[in-house]
Amino acid sequence: MTTTTDPPRTDDLADLADRLALQELISGLGTWLDGHGGDPSSLYAPDVVASGPRHRIEGIDAVLARVGPGRDDGERSQHLHTDLVIALDGDRADITANQLVLAYREGEVPHRTAGLRVTYGARRQAEGWRIASAHIDLQWIIGDLPT
């Protein structure tokens, strides 16, 4: 006698709510990076680890010292995330996306444009989803890498 067991049913609404919260997290990151407000502590976990073409940074204080709005030289940025793919695993998620970053000064054309592939690791905390890791793969750049 053969019996089949139905796979465990997931809570579709909870899954959708998580996916929406994670999309909002990445949108909030772009908004904050571009200087349009937001609280970085609502984006990053305290023990966040970020890596990219030149650096590996550990901890929210170190990340905030390296990235974000408010450069002294008047440089502004625009971060565009596309093609988000979210892989949920309970209280953790992996998010991959393409990111286009334009660096410019008010009233001028961009002096640096870069195409990136980003991978974020997110973790659910009592306060909500937070970015626990960020890895940036530079795909191409017009202009020089920032120092």
Side-chain angles (χ1 to χ4, degrees):
M1 176 175 172
T2 304
T3 61
T4 59
T5 305
D6 290 331
R9 184 175 176 170
T10 61
D11 185 344
D12 293 338
L13 290 177
D15 183 75
L16 286 172
D18 284 339
R19 290 176 184 283
L20 180 59
L22 290 162
Q23 288 177 357
E24 289 288 324
L25 179 67
I26 301 307
S27 293
L29 175 64
T31 298
W32 174 75
L33 287 170
D34 293 344
H36 299 296
D39 176 6
S41 69
S42 72
L43 303 170
Y44 293 110
D47 59 346
V48 62
V49 174
S51 60
R54 290 190 176 181
H55 303 286
R56 177 180 163 88
I57 309 166
E58 297 184 27
I60 191 169
D61 291 337
V63 169
L64 297 182
R66 179 80 181 124
V67 300
R71 292 180 55 113
D72 292 335
D73 64 359
E75 183 176 276
R76 302 187 66 184
S77 63
Q78 186 172 25
H79 292 72
L80 308 170
H81 287 93
T82 67
D83 305 325
L84 265 73
V85 176
I86 299 170
L88 285 169
D89 185 13
D91 289 339
R92 297 189 175 275
D94 290 322
I95 306 160
T96 58
N98 290 314
Q99 187 183 79
L100 180 65
V101 181
L102 299 101
Y104 65 96
R105 289 183 179 77
E106 191 68 38
E108 298 179 12
V109 298
H111 58 273
R112 182 176 55 253
T113 306
L116 311 172
R117 186 73 183 154
V118 294
T119 304
Y120 300 110
R123 183 173 62 229
R124 188 192 322 265
Q125 298 185 224
E127 308 82 18
W129 287 97
R130 298 293 185 268
I131 298 168
S133 65
H135 181 73
I136 299 160
D137 284 317
L138 177 65
Q139 304 297 297
W140 57 267
I141 189 167
I142 300 171
D144 296 322
L145 277 173
T147 56

